[in-house]
Amino acid sequence: MTSNRPDNAELGVNHETGRWIGDISAARVDNLWRQEDHEAVMRNLRSADRLATEVVQYASRQAVEQFQRTPQGRMTMDNPKLNIRGLRLPPGTVKRLSETGVFARPEVSLEYQGARKRYVVRGVESGGAVTELGRYVTFAQENGEPLAWLQPIDSLAVNGVHAVVVAPVLTRVEMFRAGRTYEFVITRHRPSEVHNGGRPKLLAEEVFRGTNGYLGLELTGKDKALSGSVLPQFFSRAGEEIAIPAGFVPVAKALTAAVNCIGCASSHYVCAPTAQARVDDADIERLAEPDLAVSTA
C-alpha cells in the first residue's frame, strides 16, 4: 500500500528553508522529530531575539540623540504653562506672598515689532522680600549676560514691578526664599519658526532647576554685607551638589540678594541701555517711517 504522506527525503532541509515552523510541524504529524525540525525552531528563536535586540538598540539611540540635542541634556518643551509660571509654588505659599505684599510676575508673552518685522519676547522684572520670605523674577540674555531694559517702572509700592524687558530671546531667572531655603529655576523663551506667514508659538526650555537649596546666612540681617556675593547650594536626592551653569552664576547671586531685599524698589540685574543702543533703536525707527519728501524738478 502506498502512502500519500511525504517521506523524509521530500522534507529535507533545503525544502523547508524559509518556512514557518507551524507549517513544518503540521506537515509532519505522526512523523519522528528530526534535525531539520530543531534547526527550524532555532532559526525562529534567533530571528525573534535579533528583532528584539534591534528594537531596543534603536530606542536607545533615539533617546541618546534627543538628550544630546538639548543643552545639558534637558528637554525642549513646547509648554504654554511654562511661559506663564516658572516656579511651581504651592497655593498656600502664593497666598502668603500676596498677604505680605511681595508681587512677582513670572509670565512672558510673545509680541510683534512692526518696525523690525519680527517677534520678540516680553517680560517684567519684579519682586522683593520681607524678613521671612522673598520672590524675585529677572531676565537675562540667552546665556546669562545682563540685559538692558526697555523702560524702568517707578511705583509708590515696594516689592513689585521694576522694569520691562523685550528681546528676541529671553532667559527668565526666578528665585523664591522661605527663611534660609531657596527654590531656583532658569528657563529660556523664544519664538518658534514661522510657517506660511502664521504667528509662531512661544517655546520654553528649562535650563536649570534647583529645589530645597540652602544658604545658612541671614542676608536680611547680620550677614547683609555679603549680599550679592553668595549663593545657596542645591543638592540631588543622592546628596550630590548640583552646580548652577557658570554663565548664570552672576544673575543667581543677584537674585539671592533680591530675595533678601526688604522693601525692594529697584532692579537687581537688568540695567539701563547704553547710548549706542538708543542711537541704533532710533535709526531703525527712522528707517521704518515712510518717506514723505516730494522731489521737484
Side-chain angles (χ1 to χ4, degrees), residues 80-155:
K81 290 184 179 180
L82 195 60
N83 293 319
I84 298 173
R85 66 181 188 186
L87 287 171
R88 296 186 288 268
L89 301 177
T93 301
V94 176
K95 180 180 179 182
R96 183 59 183 151
L97 284 166
S98 178
E99 291 172 348
T100 57
V102 177
F103 177 66
R105 294 182 55 182
E107 66 272 11
V108 295
S109 62
L110 187 65
E111 309 295 340
Y112 182 70
Q113 290 183 338
R116 298 190 180 188
K117 294 180 173 56
R118 65 175 184 176
Y119 285 92
V120 294
V121 187
R122 183 181 187 272
V124 178
E125 185 180 69
S126 51
V130 293
T131 302
E132 63 177 291
L133 52 76
R135 185 185 186 187
Y136 203 91
V137 179
T138 191
F139 296 89
Q141 296 185 46
E142 186 169 0
N143 296 312
E145 300 89 346
L147 186 69
W149 66 49
L150 175 67
Q151 67 178 76
I153 299 177
D154 297 324
S155 175

